[in-house]
Amino acid sequence: MKLNNGIRLTWLGHSTFKIEADRQTLLIDPWVTNNPVCPDALKTFDTLDVILITHGHADHISDAVPLAKEHTPTVVSIVEIAGWLGKQGVENTIGMNKGGTVTVGDVKATMVSANHSSSFTEENGTTGYVIEFGNGYKIYHAGDTNVFGDMRIIGEIYQPDLALLPIGDHFTMGPREAAYAAQLLNVPAILPIHYGTFPLLTGTPEELRKLTASQNVEVISLEVGETLD
């Protein structure tokens, strides 16, 4: 596994992450206020420079407007969500679409496909991101998705060092599909997300480890509030 060289990745529960790197603080899928597993001490932020949104469901976006108004970060999302945020008074939005790359400070964010529904688009308005930091380290946040064959393309083109993959089942892929996703991505390390928040989300890191035992991949599981650095 490639060292992340000072990039601090803190899991706030579900699919929400705070990342501190390159003198910037990023937040992925801002859901903290009503997130039942997010520690109270981590529900507020000293500063936010970038917010990335994968899709429009409440458990991924519900704190986007208040946090954006408080901290005035650059907010990156699919174009329809960016338009909705603008109508709510959010400034500094970047609306983009799949395949596009934007640079914010020293961080590059590439929007990639995900298979899931979204509250703001009739079609497939859910995305993932490949985030590249100034030191070359790359994190793939898959968003809410099932496994799909083009994950192989994401792996071949972007070669992420760490993949954040949902394993909860019911609303996303479970451990069985996530294990196959790891094969398609050919990624050296995966960090399971979107599990344990509600009783319906039954997938576990232990099951994922069993299913990936024959693969050359490290499964890194964090406790909610824990930081990988």
Side-chain angles (χ1 to χ4, degrees):
M1 175 183 169
K2 184 177 179 180
L3 296 178
N4 56 359
N5 292 328
I7 296 167
R8 293 174 51 82
L9 182 75
T10 303
W11 188 33
L12 304 185
H14 210 55
S15 294
T16 306
F17 283 86
K18 181 174 74 170
I19 304 178
E20 298 162 288
D22 300 320
R23 302 176 303 280
Q24 292 177 293
T25 300
L26 290 76
L27 185 66
I28 305 176
D29 280 354
W31 182 47
V32 290
T33 301
N34 295 316
N35 184 336
V37 296
C38 182
D40 288 340
L42 298 178
K43 291 183 178 183
T44 58
F45 305 89
D46 294 330
T47 182
L48 285 176
D49 300 293
V50 183
I51 292 178
L52 300 176
I53 298 171
T54 63
H55 65 293
H57 286 158
D59 56 336
H60 296 260
I61 196 176
S62 63
D63 287 306
V65 172
L67 288 176
K69 289 183 176 180
E70 179 181 359
H71 298 285
T72 62
T74 300
V75 183
V76 180
S77 69
I78 204 162
V79 63
E80 289 84 359
I81 291 178
W84 177 83
L85 290 169
K87 292 178 182 177
Q88 312 310 308
V90 175
E91 301 177 354
N92 303 324
T93 61
I94 298 179
M96 58 185 304
N97 222 308
K98 299 170 186 179
T101 300
V102 297
T103 300
V104 184
D106 295 323
V107 175
K108 293 181 181 179
T110 299
M111 184 176 284
V112 295
S113 288
N115 286 336
H116 192 67
S117 60
S118 179
S119 299
F120 291 88
T121 55
E122 295 180 2
E123 300 295 333
N124 180 14
T126 299
T127 72
Y129 290 95
V130 177
I131 308 161
E132 183 175 356
F133 299 91
N135 62 8
Y137 190 79
K138 287 172 280 189
I139 295 174
Y140 166 47
H141 190 300
D144 279 10
T145 190
N146 63 329
V147 68
F148 55 96
D150 285 352
M151 284 183 170
R152 185 182 300 276
I153 295 175
I154 294 172
E156 289 177 353
I157 294 178
Y158 302 107
Q159 299 179 351
D161 300 293
L162 175 66
L164 313 181
L165 300 181
I167 65 164
D169 212 337
H170 196 86
F171 294 110
T172 69
M173 59 185 173
R176 182 181 180 185
E177 288 197 2
Y180 191 69
Q183 281 187 310
L184 294 174
L185 291 162
N186 191 29
V187 67
I190 53 180
L191 198 161
I193 65 174
H194 203 284
Y195 71 91
T197 320
F198 311 110
L200 278 175
L201 307 183
T202 57
T204 65
E206 292 75 23
E207 186 178 358
L208 180 62
R209 284 194 180 92
K210 292 177 182 177
L211 292 168
T212 57
S214 62
Q215 300 181 34
N216 185 25
V217 62
E218 180 180 0
V219 177
I220 304 168
S221 58
L222 296 178
E223 297 295 328
V224 177
E226 188 177 1
T227 297
L228 177 69
D229 58 9

